[in-house]
Amino acid sequence: MASNNGCHYGQHMGFFYNNSNTTTTNWEQTQLTLVQCVGSICCGFILVANALVITAVITNRRFHYPFYYLLSNLAASDFLAGIAYVYLMFNTGKVSHELTVQVYFFRQGLLDISLSASLANLLVIALERYISVMNMKIHSNLTKRRVTLLIVLVWAISIFMGTVPSLGWNCICSLNLCSKLAPIFSRSYLIFWSVSNLVLFLIMVCIYLRIYIYVIRKTVVMKSHTSGSMNRKRTPIKLIKTVMTVLGAFVICWTPGLVVLLLDGLNCERCEVLKLKRWLLLLAVLNSVMNPIIYSYKDEEMWTTIKNLMRCVCNGTRRQRSSKANIQRNSCQETSSSLKENTTEDSKVSTQEMLKS
């Protein structure tokens, strides 16, 4: 056990892993290679899929509404999560023991920022849906300026939450307060982090239950209307179901991890939190994989736009290939024609010399 006297900013992470008795959780090389290969494929899908969602919102004018701007911001947080997972995969195992304190803060900060951004986006989307549905409108009256300010506020809060441990809420100067899952994070910070996120989960679930009950009641009252008007009134329900599915996947994938963080913060000796660490990280990766699939499955217009974007990319690649092939063909034809001209000129010269002789 390391000494508790003084601060240890100059130590590598191996020092803090030894302090927390987490040296037995190293990855085997074969296992680590397999995780990196599978994880790289998943992260590649996360990056490409969420980039397509963001591009679809930008290019399609039918998505130029507050709800879809916030949805694209949620995709941007998943895009950041994909980058964070890639960085984490290639800085884990034995490599993690050689990391400096600053690099470890950066590694964990990326994950915390992406999680905070996703959670804040879901909360803002919940409020936007509440305002629009209570006014019986498909989209709220939020201006682009207000939506931009909300997006900036979401990222400002997320960056602050992700950098809090590096700003001083850590255990580098008090090793007896260190957690097991994050050896330089204070257990009190893990309690704050997990409890605040779980409370936000509960708030969002209550908001969407309130919205859903309200919409169901309105739908029952409006049954006497024509089918056309009912179809128009069902459009907000589709958007609500999309967000509720995203929220449900988020809660299912992240709640176990937050509970384990809370148990670690409470210094639960009987809870084998280290054995669950890898599986909980896998759940977090699956959440970022699921989100763009949910957008496409629940929204036909989104899926159509994404398919058109993929066709444009494929057609552009084919055009580049065909243009390169045409250039090569033209160059070959020019070469062959020049060779033919040279041979004909040579034959003319030889026949003239023969006639002279």
Side-chain angles (χ1 to χ4, degrees):
M1 185 70 66
S3 175
N4 293 330
N5 297 325
C7 299
H8 306 276
Y9 286 97
Q11 298 289 343
H12 285 74
M13 286 306 302
F15 172 82
F16 298 98
Y17 280 112
N18 291 330
N19 175 68
S20 299
N21 295 323
T22 57
T23 55
T24 58
T25 61
N26 289 333
W27 295 83
E28 296 179 359
Q29 188 59 38
T30 306
Q31 188 181 20
L32 181 60
T33 304
L34 180 62
V35 168
Q36 288 175 344
C37 293
V38 176
S40 298
I41 296 172
C42 293
C43 291
F45 176 81
I46 291 170
L47 296 175
V48 173
N50 285 287
L52 286 173
V53 171
I54 296 170
T55 307
V57 173
I58 294 172
T59 56
N60 194 337
R61 292 184 178 180
R62 295 183 182 180
F63 296 147
H64 290 183
Y65 292 99
F67 171 78
Y68 287 104
Y69 291 143
L70 297 173
L71 197 67
S72 65
N73 197 40
L74 181 61
S77 63
D78 284 328
F79 187 89
L80 177 63
I83 297 174
Y85 295 141
V86 172
Y87 190 80
L88 175 64
M89 281 189 302
F90 292 95
N91 287 279
T92 190
K94 294 181 180 179
V95 180
S96 61
H97 291 258
E98 301 173 0
L99 298 177
T100 61
V101 170
Q102 291 74 19
V103 174
Y104 186 87
F105 276 136
F106 178 75
R107 191 189 78 173
Q108 298 303 121
L110 284 178
L111 288 173
D112 293 343
I113 290 171
S114 63
L115 173 61
S116 300
S118 298
L119 193 57
N121 272 303
L122 286 171
L123 180 60
V124 172
I125 291 172
L127 295 174
E128 190 273 342
R129 286 294 86 200
Y130 184 82
I131 295 170
S132 62
V133 170
M134 291 303 166
N135 294 324
M136 291 307 294
K137 293 181 179 180
I138 299 174
H139 298 287
S140 63
N141 293 326
L142 290 174
T143 61
K144 290 184 178 180
R145 182 179 180 182
R146 290 182 179 179
V147 173
T148 304
L149 289 175
L150 284 174
I151 291 173
V152 171
L153 182 63
V154 163
W155 285 105
I157 294 173
S158 304
I159 292 171
F160 174 75
M161 291 296 292
T163 55
V164 163
S166 61
L167 294 176
W169 200 347
N170 54 60
C171 63
I172 295 177
C173 299
S174 302
L175 297 181
N176 58 327
L177 301 178
C178 291
S179 66
K180 293 181 180 179
L181 292 174
I184 59 176
F185 281 25
S186 176
R187 289 197 298 271
S188 59
Y189 173 75
L190 293 187
I191 294 173
F192 163 76
W193 174 262
S194 55
V195 170
S196 59
N197 287 333
L198 289 172
V199 170
L200 286 178
F201 283 177
L202 183 61
I203 292 172
M204 286 188 289
V205 170
C206 292
I207 290 174
Y208 279 110
L209 284 176
R210 174 76 178 89
I211 293 172
Y212 195 74
I213 293 171
Y214 178 81
V215 172
I216 293 299
R217 288 178 180 175
K218 283 290 182 180
T219 306
V220 172
V221 172
M222 297 171 63
K223 275 186 177 180
S224 59
H225 289 242
T226 60
S227 60
S229 62
M230 286 298 293
N231 286 332
R232 286 196 297 271
K233 297 303 178 183
R234 281 173 185 166
T235 306
I237 301 177
K238 292 181 180 179
L239 297 180
I240 292 169
K241 287 182 178 179
T242 300
V243 183
M244 287 182 69
T245 307
V246 172
L247 177 62
F250 192 84
V251 171
I252 292 171
C253 292
W254 280 101
T255 300
L258 293 175
V259 171
V260 170
L261 284 176
L262 179 60
L263 293 174
D264 187 23
L266 295 173
N267 199 20
C268 179
E269 297 292 343
R270 297 180 180 179
C271 309
E272 297 181 352
V273 293
L274 294 174
K275 292 184 178 180
L276 301 172
K277 181 178 180 180
R278 298 168 187 175
W279 299 106
L280 298 176
L281 183 61
L282 178 62
L283 263 179
V285 174
L286 285 177
N287 178 242
S288 297
V289 171
M290 290 166 60
N291 281 345
I293 298 174
I294 294 171
Y295 306 149
S296 305
Y297 178 74
K298 289 290 184 179
D299 197 324
E300 295 179 0
E301 184 70 23
M302 179 68 73
W303 175 234
T304 303
T305 307
I306 290 175
K307 284 194 295 185
N308 292 333
L309 286 172
M310 290 190 291
R311 286 172 185 170
C312 289
V313 172
C314 294
N315 290 334
T317 307
R318 289 175 183 173
R319 287 175 183 174
Q320 288 180 354
R321 291 177 180 175
S322 61
S323 62
K324 289 180 181 179
N326 290 330
I327 292 171
Q328 290 177 354
R329 288 174 185 174
N330 292 331
S331 62
C332 291
Q333 289 177 359
E334 290 176 357
T335 305
S336 61
S337 62
S338 62
L339 289 173
K340 288 180 180 179
E341 290 176 357
N342 291 332
T343 54
T344 53
E345 289 178 358
D346 292 338
S347 62
K348 288 180 181 179
V349 171
S350 61
T351 52
Q352 289 176 359
E353 290 178 352
M354 290 176 65
L355 290 172
K356 286 180 182 181
S357 61

